[in-house]
Amino acid sequence: MPTLTQIRPRALVRASGGPRYAVALAVDALGTGLLRPFLLLYGVTVLRLSAPVTGIAMTAGVVVGLVCMPAVGRWLDRGARSTVVAASMLVRVVGVALLLATPAGHAGQFAAAALFLGIGNQAWPAAHAALVAAVSHGRERDTALAAGRALRNAGLGVGALLATACLAGGATALQALAAVTGLAYLTAAALAWSVHLRVDPSTGPAGSAGSGPAPRMRGLLAANVVYVFCLNVPEIALPLVLVTQLHASPVWSAAVFVANTVLVVTLQVPVTVLMSRFSRRTVLVLAGVVLTASYLGFLAATSLGPGWGAPAVAAVSVLCTIGEIGYAGSATALVTALAPPHLLGRTLARFELSTGFGLAVSPAAITALAPHGPAALWGTLAAATLVSASAVATERGAAGGARARILVQGRDLRRSKALSKT
């Protein structure tokens, strides 16, 4: 198993798509951070929509946006790379333009804006992963994907902080933030398109998956729906528990979110490099075990009640973030490694469909379980994640058995040919 032992910044930038593409990622993330966390607030404050109507429109945008993924996968499999990334950013420019043009009280036009934003948000991860896979290979590619995630989280965090500082301006400030977001998306799209990267999908690097059929990955895709819940734990589950169950100050929720962002930005690349000594599937299984342990830790922390409960939850959130880092650093890398070059786009699209579905249903699942008590919420998450980790590990055994059967059949065929010649 190839192992990376050091991080070389210049080589990492090249493996991530080059300097211009890195700037495009940073600008895109900064713009996303300015608006995405406050889109619900925009609908309520600027457009004067009710919170339920705004939430339903945003959820519908995310879910309907998933429908575009098969088309994105086919486009990528025709060899497009930077063009698809740029298109995912331009679609969000359309969404922002619709948002700015929406009159107060028009829920339908807001839903259309959320749809275009959702399409761009769903298409971007697969397009980005395919672009990185075109310029880097093996463990270098894994590190490049990790670096992209760290850079994106940094941009999102800075954008959210800038937006928070501007919120005192009310509705006018939110509209200005939306306009700046649209300009950021447009700039990022131009930078990404200028990379002019396209590949021949019929060829791949030495040791790639070859030209075989697309991997089924049924266990991996099903497990990913549960794994991805960890991304919404700091944003939804922990604030809900801290405020409604432990009656803690909202400062604790903010501290958990900031700590999560800082840890991902600083540790995503080093942890990915460190774990390169293990197989990607093993790292994904270990991430599931760590996440399961953190959910059980949250269950124990909430039992402490008001007072010590909030600090305990904050401490356990660090363990949860470590599990998230392991998951994010191995899942997409594993899918990219499993996919044959000519089907990379469709394989990534299937994976992002499972990710998007998990992100779409997790808020509803978390808010439905939380009122039934800590055991219902954290016990269910822990059990589901442990089962998912087991499914990922079991699928490895099934794949290994299939490869063994192929090897045996090949040996038998060669032996039969040798006997026939004699």
Side-chain angles (χ1 to χ4, degrees), residues 35 42 46-47 93-114 174-175 178-179:
L35 180 63
Y42 188 98
V46 178
L47 303 182
V93 175
V94 175
V96 172
L98 282 174
L99 188 66
L100 291 170
T102 301
H106 285 64
Q109 194 165 330
F110 175 77
L174 283 170
Q175 289 175 312

mmCIF file of all heavy atoms in Angstrom, residues 35 42 46-47 93-114 174-175 178-179:
data_model
loop_
_atom_site.group_PDB
_atom_site.id
_atom_site.type_symbol
_atom_site.label_atom_id
_atom_site.label_comp_id
_atom_site.label_asym_id
_atom_site.label_seq_id
_atom_site.Cartn_x
_atom_site.Cartn_y
_atom_site.Cartn_z
ATOM 1 N N LEU A 35 -23.666 33.459 1.855
ATOM 2 C CA LEU A 35 -25.116 33.353 1.701
ATOM 3 C C LEU A 35 -25.712 32.049 2.209
ATOM 4 O O LEU A 35 -26.777 32.059 2.834
ATOM 5 C CB LEU A 35 -25.476 33.526 0.218
ATOM 6 C CG LEU A 35 -26.974 33.441 -0.119
ATOM 7 C CD1 LEU A 35 -27.741 34.573 0.561
ATOM 8 C CD2 LEU A 35 -27.189 33.490 -1.628
ATOM 9 N N TYR A 42 -32.742 34.908 4.747
ATOM 10 C CA TYR A 42 -33.065 35.765 3.608
ATOM 11 C C TYR A 42 -34.544 35.618 3.241
ATOM 12 O O TYR A 42 -35.242 36.609 3.005
ATOM 13 C CB TYR A 42 -32.193 35.395 2.408
ATOM 14 C CG TYR A 42 -32.308 36.340 1.233
ATOM 15 C CD1 TYR A 42 -31.372 37.337 1.040
ATOM 16 C CD2 TYR A 42 -33.353 36.227 0.317
ATOM 17 C CE1 TYR A 42 -31.463 38.215 -0.037
ATOM 18 C CE2 TYR A 42 -33.469 37.092 -0.753
ATOM 19 C CZ TYR A 42 -32.518 38.088 -0.936
ATOM 20 O OH TYR A 42 -32.636 38.955 -2.000
ATOM 21 N N VAL A 46 -36.035 39.155 4.145
ATOM 22 C CA VAL A 46 -36.125 39.980 2.946
ATOM 23 C C VAL A 46 -37.420 39.723 2.187
ATOM 24 O O VAL A 46 -38.101 40.664 1.766
ATOM 25 C CB VAL A 46 -34.908 39.717 2.034
ATOM 26 C CG1 VAL A 46 -35.016 40.540 0.753
ATOM 27 C CG2 VAL A 46 -33.614 40.041 2.759
ATOM 28 N N LEU A 47 -37.772 38.443 1.998
ATOM 29 C CA LEU A 47 -38.944 38.098 1.194
ATOM 30 C C LEU A 47 -40.213 37.958 2.025
ATOM 31 O O LEU A 47 -41.291 37.734 1.474
ATOM 32 C CB LEU A 47 -38.674 36.793 0.433
ATOM 33 C CG LEU A 47 -37.439 36.808 -0.478
ATOM 34 C CD1 LEU A 47 -37.307 35.487 -1.214
ATOM 35 C CD2 LEU A 47 -37.529 37.961 -1.473
ATOM 36 N N VAL A 93 -25.014 31.133 -10.104
ATOM 37 C CA VAL A 93 -25.175 32.555 -10.453
ATOM 38 C C VAL A 93 -26.624 32.817 -10.852
ATOM 39 O O VAL A 93 -27.224 33.825 -10.443
ATOM 40 C CB VAL A 93 -24.217 32.952 -11.597
ATOM 41 C CG1 VAL A 93 -24.485 34.389 -12.043
ATOM 42 C CG2 VAL A 93 -22.769 32.811 -11.156
ATOM 43 N N VAL A 94 -27.198 31.909 -11.636
ATOM 44 C CA VAL A 94 -28.608 32.035 -12.019
ATOM 45 C C VAL A 94 -29.496 32.005 -10.776
ATOM 46 O O VAL A 94 -30.454 32.788 -10.657
ATOM 47 C CB VAL A 94 -29.007 30.907 -12.994
ATOM 48 C CG1 VAL A 94 -30.500 30.966 -13.309
ATOM 49 C CG2 VAL A 94 -28.187 31.003 -14.270
ATOM 50 N N GLY A 95 -29.181 31.117 -9.841
ATOM 51 C CA GLY A 95 -29.964 31.039 -8.613
ATOM 52 C C GLY A 95 -29.913 32.332 -7.817
ATOM 53 O O GLY A 95 -30.946 32.801 -7.307
ATOM 54 N N VAL A 96 -28.735 32.929 -7.706
ATOM 55 C CA VAL A 96 -28.607 34.189 -6.969
ATOM 56 C C VAL A 96 -29.359 35.302 -7.687
ATOM 57 O O VAL A 96 -30.021 36.143 -7.050
ATOM 58 C CB VAL A 96 -27.124 34.559 -6.788
ATOM 59 C CG1 VAL A 96 -26.993 35.959 -6.187
ATOM 60 C CG2 VAL A 96 -26.429 33.540 -5.894
ATOM 61 N N ALA A 97 -29.263 35.342 -9.032
ATOM 62 C CA ALA A 97 -29.982 36.366 -9.791
ATOM 63 C C ALA A 97 -31.492 36.254 -9.574
ATOM 64 O O ALA A 97 -32.192 37.266 -9.393
ATOM 65 C CB ALA A 97 -29.643 36.245 -11.277
ATOM 66 N N LEU A 98 -32.002 35.017 -9.592
ATOM 67 C CA LEU A 98 -33.429 34.818 -9.320
ATOM 68 C C LEU A 98 -33.784 35.255 -7.899
ATOM 69 O O LEU A 98 -34.847 35.837 -7.664
ATOM 70 C CB LEU A 98 -33.791 33.349 -9.514
ATOM 71 C CG LEU A 98 -33.965 32.870 -10.952
ATOM 72 C CD1 LEU A 98 -34.166 31.358 -10.984
ATOM 73 C CD2 LEU A 98 -35.154 33.567 -11.603
ATOM 74 N N LEU A 99 -32.897 34.971 -6.963
ATOM 75 C CA LEU A 99 -33.130 35.341 -5.579
ATOM 76 C C LEU A 99 -33.242 36.857 -5.439
ATOM 77 O O LEU A 99 -34.144 37.369 -4.765
ATOM 78 C CB LEU A 99 -31.994 34.809 -4.709
ATOM 79 C CG LEU A 99 -32.151 34.922 -3.194
ATOM 80 C CD1 LEU A 99 -33.300 34.043 -2.711
ATOM 81 C CD2 LEU A 99 -30.857 34.517 -2.495
ATOM 82 N N LEU A 100 -32.326 37.579 -6.077
ATOM 83 C CA LEU A 100 -32.343 39.038 -5.990
ATOM 84 C C LEU A 100 -33.569 39.634 -6.697
ATOM 85 O O LEU A 100 -34.036 40.719 -6.320
ATOM 86 C CB LEU A 100 -31.066 39.614 -6.601
ATOM 87 C CG LEU A 100 -29.774 39.353 -5.818
ATOM 88 C CD1 LEU A 100 -28.558 39.753 -6.638
ATOM 89 C CD2 LEU A 100 -29.803 40.096 -4.490
ATOM 90 N N ALA A 101 -34.073 38.940 -7.713
ATOM 91 C CA ALA A 101 -35.217 39.449 -8.465
ATOM 92 C C ALA A 101 -36.556 39.032 -7.865
ATOM 93 O O ALA A 101 -37.605 39.471 -8.349
ATOM 94 C CB ALA A 101 -35.134 38.959 -9.914
ATOM 95 N N THR A 102 -36.549 38.213 -6.838
ATOM 96 C CA THR A 102 -37.799 37.714 -6.246
ATOM 97 C C THR A 102 -38.472 38.807 -5.424
ATOM 98 O O THR A 102 -37.876 39.336 -4.475
ATOM 99 C CB THR A 102 -37.529 36.504 -5.341
ATOM 100 O OG1 THR A 102 -36.910 35.473 -6.107
ATOM 101 C CG2 THR A 102 -38.826 35.978 -4.740
ATOM 102 N N PRO A 103 -39.728 39.155 -5.745
ATOM 103 C CA PRO A 103 -40.455 40.133 -4.928
ATOM 104 C C PRO A 103 -40.867 39.520 -3.589
ATOM 105 O O PRO A 103 -40.929 38.295 -3.446
ATOM 106 C CB PRO A 103 -41.697 40.466 -5.775
ATOM 107 C CG PRO A 103 -41.428 39.892 -7.134
ATOM 108 C CD PRO A 103 -40.500 38.736 -6.919
ATOM 109 N N ALA A 104 -41.124 40.347 -2.634
ATOM 110 C CA ALA A 104 -41.555 39.878 -1.318
ATOM 111 C C ALA A 104 -42.844 39.079 -1.438
ATOM 112 O O ALA A 104 -43.769 39.455 -2.166
ATOM 113 C CB ALA A 104 -41.750 41.056 -0.372
ATOM 114 N N GLY A 105 -42.893 37.946 -0.749
ATOM 115 C CA GLY A 105 -44.094 37.122 -0.706
ATOM 116 C C GLY A 105 -44.220 36.112 -1.825
ATOM 117 O O GLY A 105 -45.174 35.328 -1.838
ATOM 118 N N HIS A 106 -43.271 36.053 -2.761
ATOM 119 C CA HIS A 106 -43.357 35.128 -3.888
ATOM 120 C C HIS A 106 -42.557 33.862 -3.570
ATOM 121 O O HIS A 106 -41.356 33.766 -3.862
ATOM 122 C CB HIS A 106 -42.839 35.786 -5.165
ATOM 123 C CG HIS A 106 -43.789 36.774 -5.754
ATOM 124 N ND1 HIS A 106 -44.156 37.929 -5.093
ATOM 125 C CD2 HIS A 106 -44.471 36.776 -6.946
ATOM 126 C CE1 HIS A 106 -45.005 38.613 -5.842
ATOM 127 N NE2 HIS A 106 -45.223 37.937 -6.964
ATOM 128 N N ALA A 107 -43.227 32.885 -3.005
ATOM 129 C CA ALA A 107 -42.554 31.648 -2.607
ATOM 130 C C ALA A 107 -42.109 30.829 -3.807
ATOM 131 O O ALA A 107 -41.073 30.151 -3.760
ATOM 132 C CB ALA A 107 -43.478 30.808 -1.724
ATOM 133 N N GLY A 108 -42.871 30.884 -4.903
ATOM 134 C CA GLY A 108 -42.527 30.095 -6.075
ATOM 135 C C GLY A 108 -41.196 30.498 -6.680
ATOM 136 O O GLY A 108 -40.375 29.640 -7.040
ATOM 137 N N GLN A 109 -40.962 31.805 -6.816
ATOM 138 C CA GLN A 109 -39.703 32.257 -7.390
ATOM 139 C C GLN A 109 -38.534 31.979 -6.437
ATOM 140 O O GLN A 109 -37.425 31.672 -6.877
ATOM 141 C CB GLN A 109 -39.773 33.747 -7.708
ATOM 142 C CG GLN A 109 -38.647 34.230 -8.598
ATOM 143 C CD GLN A 109 -38.920 35.597 -9.203
ATOM 144 O OE1 GLN A 109 -40.074 35.958 -9.437
ATOM 145 N NE2 GLN A 109 -37.858 36.360 -9.455
ATOM 146 N N PHE A 110 -38.794 32.067 -5.136
ATOM 147 C CA PHE A 110 -37.755 31.705 -4.174
ATOM 148 C C PHE A 110 -37.410 30.223 -4.304
ATOM 149 O O PHE A 110 -36.235 29.843 -4.230
ATOM 150 C CB PHE A 110 -38.218 32.013 -2.754
ATOM 151 C CG PHE A 110 -37.249 31.570 -1.687
ATOM 152 C CD1 PHE A 110 -36.097 32.300 -1.424
ATOM 153 C CD2 PHE A 110 -37.480 30.417 -0.959
ATOM 154 C CE1 PHE A 110 -35.194 31.892 -0.454
ATOM 155 C CE2 PHE A 110 -36.581 29.992 0.019
ATOM 156 C CZ PHE A 110 -35.438 30.743 0.274
ATOM 157 N N ALA A 111 -38.424 29.378 -4.510
ATOM 158 C CA ALA A 111 -38.177 27.946 -4.688
ATOM 159 C C ALA A 111 -37.359 27.694 -5.952
ATOM 160 O O ALA A 111 -36.483 26.821 -5.967
ATOM 161 C CB ALA A 111 -39.500 27.189 -4.755
ATOM 162 N N ALA A 112 -37.628 28.465 -7.020
ATOM 163 C CA ALA A 112 -36.853 28.313 -8.249
ATOM 164 C C ALA A 112 -35.392 28.700 -8.018
ATOM 165 O O ALA A 112 -34.472 28.034 -8.510
ATOM 166 C CB ALA A 112 -37.452 29.175 -9.360
ATOM 167 N N ALA A 113 -35.177 29.784 -7.254
ATOM 168 C CA ALA A 113 -33.806 30.188 -6.926
ATOM 169 C C ALA A 113 -33.112 29.103 -6.111
ATOM 170 O O ALA A 113 -31.941 28.761 -6.369
ATOM 171 C CB ALA A 113 -33.829 31.512 -6.157
ATOM 172 N N ALA A 114 -33.831 28.546 -5.142
ATOM 173 C CA ALA A 114 -33.254 27.472 -4.317
ATOM 174 C C ALA A 114 -32.944 26.246 -5.162
ATOM 175 O O ALA A 114 -31.964 25.535 -4.905
ATOM 176 C CB ALA A 114 -34.224 27.105 -3.187
ATOM 177 N N LEU A 174 -28.451 41.688 3.751
ATOM 178 C CA LEU A 174 -28.622 40.360 3.184
ATOM 179 C C LEU A 174 -28.670 40.413 1.654
ATOM 180 O O LEU A 174 -28.103 39.553 0.972
ATOM 181 C CB LEU A 174 -29.893 39.710 3.730
ATOM 182 C CG LEU A 174 -29.806 39.157 5.154
ATOM 183 C CD1 LEU A 174 -31.189 38.770 5.658
ATOM 184 C CD2 LEU A 174 -28.865 37.955 5.218
ATOM 185 N N GLN A 175 -29.333 41.420 1.114
ATOM 186 C CA GLN A 175 -29.368 41.567 -0.338
ATOM 187 C C GLN A 175 -27.978 41.865 -0.892
ATOM 188 O O GLN A 175 -27.595 41.353 -1.952
ATOM 189 C CB GLN A 175 -30.352 42.682 -0.722
ATOM 190 C CG GLN A 175 -31.814 42.296 -0.499
ATOM 191 C CD GLN A 175 -32.756 43.450 -0.774
ATOM 192 O OE1 GLN A 175 -32.538 44.568 -0.307
ATOM 193 N NE2 GLN A 175 -33.805 43.188 -1.540
ATOM 194 N N ALA A 178 -26.020 38.689 -0.946
ATOM 195 C CA ALA A 178 -26.425 37.842 -2.061
ATOM 196 C C ALA A 178 -25.782 38.322 -3.359
ATOM 197 O O ALA A 178 -25.309 37.514 -4.177
ATOM 198 C CB ALA A 178 -27.943 37.831 -2.189
ATOM 199 N N ALA A 179 -25.739 39.638 -3.564
ATOM 200 C CA ALA A 179 -25.115 40.185 -4.775
ATOM 201 C C ALA A 179 -23.624 39.856 -4.829
ATOM 202 O O ALA A 179 -23.097 39.465 -5.886
ATOM 203 C CB ALA A 179 -25.331 41.694 -4.833
#
